[in-house]
Amino acid sequence: MRAANLDTRLFINNKFVPGKAGKTFKIYNPVDETEICDVHEALAEDVDFAVKIAQDAFPAWSNTNAFERARPLAKLSQLILRDSRQLAELDALAMGKPVKLLEKMDVPACASIFSYFAGAAYHVLGESSLNSANYLNISVRQPFGVVGLIIPWNVPMIMFAMKVAPAAICGNTIVLKASEKAPLTSLKLAALIKEAGFPPGVINIVNGFGAPTGQAIAEHMDIRKVAFTGSVATGRKIMKMAADSNLKNVTLELGGKTPAIIFEDADILKAARASHFSINHNSGQHCQANSRILVHASVADEFIAELKRLMSSVKLGDPFDPETFQGPQADQAQLTHILRLIEAGKKDGTLVNGGKRHNKTGAFVEPTIFKNVPMTSPIYKEEVFGPVVIVNTFEDEEEALREANGTEYGLFSSVYTKDFNRAIAFAKKIEAGAVGINCAVPLRALDMPVGGWKQSGVGRELAVHGLNNFTELKTIFMNYGNDESGLAFNWHST
């Protein structure tokens, strides 16, 4: 599917409509900077309109039986698989990820998440207690109402599903902002949402930039919950806007600087393959990528040699070519950011592989390896979000742990060792929301939570945690019987 066949207006009340101001912005192909299409931009008044439509849809949707809410989610899952090629092509156009990888990873993951949460309809549950005499006490989970969802450009289909599916199955109605860099699959999914049978107003999609569109969502007084995935800097802004408006509940999944710790007894070939795939797939543009590798000094040369062999053999190029593994970065701004940090790496560390732009056109970066980079270097401290990895060495576990935990990020980590006891003990000490033992991201485990420690986020997504994110908890106390022994009866007795 090419973008010429795609409706790029706002999706509100199950209709594609132009923005009230008639503004549009352009989407460019990062392979060659050619123009793909114009997309309609939502301003604050468009967000207001979408919120009003979502408010109107909320009473009926939130009072719909769980099974009936699940039906369109399950249908949408099937429609996503049906239109797999079209969805893959749209993301390849907008942000450069190879079509073959999108068809194998992003599209099935998107469909699986909708299928999972369709099946979770009856798991939005509370608790009950008889522990207080003459009382039956229960807690119930209820939807917030209108929720605002803001998703990133790097894996737009997966992020769309991770936020929309749990929010919708819990009975919320939705206003979602797709990234201005990669909104095309969200708009294709909008058409499938209508086809799947979601009632009008349940899911509304607005296109636009952080300001004014994202800001209007974060500050809106009729939105009680906002969920965001993106940078730490933007996450801070959203938390402040949420606090300064109506103290919204906020979920954030932010950046990462994932360490992989490779002990001397590790399977070196396995560790190298997993680390290579983690940092190279999606051109390194995912926050859980193993961008820091800490390897025991005794096996460092062997590991670096294998990692270099793998990364130097990567085919860069056209994302529509089935032989391509690494496409371009998302845009020129991302390319500039990565090249700046690569220069810092050349100054502070030792270049092992790559280290420069690939081709004169397009936003391509060579797969790059540095070693012996100090923790004070900008390339060590900042999230590169590109196919760039640092390999440092350690002599003992204490040194490895100190460096692994030595950043403000804590999203994911990996540990490679054949010693199970050491793996578990070390995993407990790592400051991260998830630890992969003898494995790295990407992983498919929809029944496990995802989220970060420290500045990598607030809250968790997926599994039951995804449901809890989009519900308020209410306790109901029910007195029964004629017991008059309580203070309310005896306080005023004569």
Side-chain angles (χ1 to χ4, degrees):
M1 180 180 187
R2 299 297 176 172
N5 302 319
L6 182 72
D7 198 323
T8 62
R9 294 176 292 174
L10 317 181
F11 183 74
I12 300 174
N13 208 26
N14 270 14
K15 299 176 183 177
F16 284 99
V17 297
K20 293 183 181 296
K23 292 187 68 175
T24 61
F25 59 93
K26 296 185 182 300
I27 303 296
Y28 295 94
N29 188 334
V31 171
D32 55 14
E33 291 303 301
T34 56
E35 182 180 330
I36 299 171
C37 63
D38 290 319
V39 172
H40 288 248
E41 182 179 355
L43 303 183
E45 55 263 41
D46 300 297
V47 173
D48 288 341
F49 177 51
V51 171
K52 177 61 169 62
I53 292 298
Q55 283 181 306
D56 292 344
F58 176 70
W61 179 248
S62 60
N63 200 40
T64 300
N65 289 332
F67 172 71
E68 294 299 326
R69 286 204 303 270
R71 290 178 67 182
L73 271 79
K75 179 68 178 296
L76 179 57
S77 174
Q78 296 303 308
L79 294 176
I80 289 166
L81 294 176
R82 183 197 70 186
D83 291 351
S84 172
R85 180 71 185 188
Q86 297 173 14
L87 287 160
E89 289 181 355
L90 288 172
D91 262 357
L93 281 172
M95 51 82 62
K97 186 169 184 176
V99 170
K100 187 175 182 179
L101 282 173
L102 286 160
E103 288 185 302
K104 287 181 175 292
M105 296 175 58
D106 299 52
V107 176
C110 181
S112 296
I113 292 167
F114 276 105
S115 178
Y116 176 90
F117 281 107
Y122 287 99
H123 295 280
V124 184
L125 300 172
E127 300 165 311
S128 63
S129 171
L130 288 170
N131 290 325
S132 299
N134 301 304
Y135 279 87
L136 168 61
N137 300 327
I138 64 170
S139 65
V140 295
R141 289 195 170 273
Q142 295 181 260
F144 282 93
V146 181
V147 299
L149 312 178
I150 303 174
I151 64 173
W153 49 263
N154 60 321
V155 281
M157 281 186 278
I158 295 174
M159 290 295 109
F160 186 102
M162 283 177 64
K163 289 176 171 50
V164 170
I169 201 64
C170 289
N172 299 281
T173 53
I174 293 161
V175 176
L176 176 141
K177 187 193 91 67
S179 169
E180 70 277 9
K181 294 185 181 183
L184 302 186
T185 47
S186 292
L187 293 167
K188 170 61 181 175
L189 288 167
L192 298 184
I193 282 165
K194 183 176 181 179
E195 185 179 349
F198 282 92
V202 171
I203 302 173
N204 307 278
I205 298 170
V206 294
N207 314 308
F209 297 82
T213 319
Q215 181 177 351
I217 291 173
E219 293 181 340
H220 206 287
M221 295 299 293
D222 292 322
I223 292 176
R224 300 300 314 186
K225 163 82 184 188
V226 63
F228 167 78
T229 295
S231 71
V232 172
T234 303
R236 289 178 184 274
K237 292 177 182 178
I238 286 173
M239 286 198 81
K240 187 175 188 305
M241 288 185 280
D244 289 346
S245 53
N246 58 351
L247 207 61
K248 292 174 184 65
N249 183 288
V250 178
T251 299
L252 303 173
E253 197 263 282
L254 306 176
K257 198 73 179 175
T258 294
I261 300 91
I262 301 168
F263 287 101
E264 67 276 13
D265 65 336
D267 182 331
I268 297 301
L269 295 182
K270 181 178 182 179
R273 290 191 185 99
S275 299
H276 149 65
F277 192 83
S278 178
I279 197 65
N280 258 149
H281 101 274
N282 206 25
S283 304
Q285 297 172 141
H286 65 107
C287 47
Q288 295 180 321
N290 285 155
S291 57
R292 296 184 296 142
I293 298 175
L294 313 177
V295 58
H296 193 274
S298 65
V299 292
D301 289 345
E302 180 186 359
F303 175 83
I304 291 172
E306 181 62 16
L307 184 65
K308 180 179 180 180
R309 184 187 71 80
L310 292 166
M311 292 183 68
S312 62
S313 66
V314 166
K315 179 176 179 181
L316 287 76
D318 181 2
F320 285 83
D321 182 346
E323 298 301 316
T324 295
F325 180 70
Q326 182 185 318
Q329 309 309 128
D331 60 11
Q332 290 294 318
Q334 189 64 19
L335 173 67
T336 300
H337 166 76
I338 295 167
L339 293 177
R340 173 182 66 84
L341 291 176
I342 284 176
E343 290 307 308
K346 291 177 181 177
K347 177 182 176 182
D348 297 334
T350 302
L351 180 65
V352 175
N353 190 73
K356 61 182 183 294
R357 181 177 182 175
H358 176 78
N359 286 346
K360 294 181 180 180
T361 59
F364 293 93
V365 175
E366 290 183 349
T368 298
I369 304 170
F370 286 102
K371 67 178 182 179
N372 303 328
V373 177
M375 295 173 66
T376 55
S377 175
I379 196 173
Y380 195 100
K381 295 191 295 183
E382 297 181 37
E383 187 175 29
V384 180
F385 227 58
V388 181
V389 65
I390 292 167
V391 183
N392 285 352
T393 60
F394 66 89
E395 296 287 349
D396 56 49
E397 290 190 21
E398 290 75 16
E399 183 185 1
L401 184 67
R402 184 167 56 250
E403 185 165 345
N405 289 338
T407 75
E408 280 300 306
Y409 295 103
L411 191 58
F412 193 87
S413 59
S414 293
V415 177
Y416 294 89
T417 177
K418 295 174 184 176
D419 185 333
F420 179 80
N421 292 332
R422 175 162 63 181
I424 298 302
F426 199 84
K428 287 176 63 178
K429 297 175 184 177
I430 292 178
E431 297 169 354
V435 180
I437 295 176
N438 295 319
C439 60
V441 289
L443 296 170
R444 290 183 185 171
L446 302 183
D447 56 346
M448 288 287 108
V450 173
W453 286 23
K454 300 191 282 191
Q455 292 189 36
S456 285
V458 176
R460 294 295 183 271
E461 296 181 296
L462 291 179
V464 67
H465 304 272
L467 297 174
N468 293 346
N469 267 343
F470 290 103
T471 54
E472 288 273 36
L473 192 60
K474 178 184 290 181
T475 302
I476 301 173
F477 302 96
M478 296 177 284
N479 177 241
Y480 64 90
N482 297 313
D483 180 26
E484 297 183 359
S485 62
L487 284 174
F489 289 92
N490 292 297
W491 188 260
H492 301 288
S493 63
T494 59

